[in-house]
Amino acid sequence: LGYKDYETPSAADVMVNAFRRYLNVAARQTQDMGMDSMARAVLPDNSHNGGYNDDMLRSTMLDRYESHTKHCPICKSALERGQAKERRLGIVQTALLGACGASSTALAGLGICALATTLAIPGSVFAITAGLVAATSGTAFGVSKQKALISKNNQQFVFEDYVHADKN
């Protein structure tokens, strides 16, 4: 594909088109001088769908980890820190869900004991146990939201699908 294959109606595109025309002329002159490899670097390629490889997977084409993150020390360390934080939040979330399950089991046990026996269980014990269930389940929900946010941030270092229609 060459610059003539695209419509560039804006006045700002005049210089782009002029540069592309100059580049094509220079490449053809370079080719005439016997330097084919240099000319092929800038000349349009019409051999295979305009030079695009349609067989390449989208995930391979948009892979940020292989093309940038693993080579950039700043991005690599940011990804490692984010993954470590995501693992820690996963452990905290599991502990909170376990505590929530234990609290709700204790609450159910207290209710059964109160109904099945004549044992008087103070209302404050029920209130404290119910509060523990609510607190641990609410905190576990908040941690899961935080973990999802960090996971989404980490994904930007690895792969992010780009759909122009969704970027309005």
Side-chain angles (χ1 to χ4, degrees), residues 131-148:
L132 284 173
V133 171
T136 54
S137 62
T139 308
F141 178 75
V143 167
S144 73
K145 289 295 185 184
Q146 183 71 23
K147 185 180 168 195

Side-chain angles (χ1 to χ4, degrees), residues 1 4 7 13 24-25 31 50 70-71 74 84 99 103 109 117-118 129 164 167:
L1 295 170
K4 292 180 182 178
E7 182 180 340
D13 296 324
N24 284 345
V25 169
Q31 198 172 25
K70 87 175 186 183
H71 305 292
I74 296 168
S103 301
T117 64
T118 57
T129 310
H164 288 278
K167 301 294 180 182

Side-chain angles (χ1 to χ4, degrees), residues 13-81:
D13 296 324
V14 171
M15 294 305 291
V16 172
N17 288 334
F19 176 72
R20 196 63 219 180
R21 281 192 300 274
Y22 162 76
L23 199 57
N24 284 345
V25 169
R28 283 192 176 64
Q29 288 175 350
T30 305
Q31 198 172 25
D32 292 341
M33 291 174 22
M35 295 185 243
D36 288 336
S37 62
M38 288 177 67
R40 277 196 303 272
V42 294
L43 280 175
D45 181 13
N46 294 322
S47 62
H48 176 70
N49 294 336
Y52 297 109
N53 185 356
D54 290 339
D55 299 334
M56 184 182 282
L57 294 173
R58 186 175 185 88
S59 59
T60 304
M61 200 174 352
L62 297 174
D63 184 15
R64 288 184 179 175
Y65 182 78
E66 290 296 325
S67 65
H68 176 78
T69 303
K70 87 175 186 183
H71 305 292
C72 175
I74 296 168
C75 292
K76 187 176 182 179
S77 69
L79 176 62
E80 289 168 354
R81 283 191 314 269

Side-chain angles (χ1 to χ4, degrees), residues 58 64 152 156 160-168:
R58 186 175 185 88
R64 288 184 179 175
K152 183 179 177 185
Q156 291 177 352
E160 184 175 358
D161 197 9
Y162 192 87
V163 180
H164 288 278
D166 295 344
K167 301 294 180 182
N168 288 335

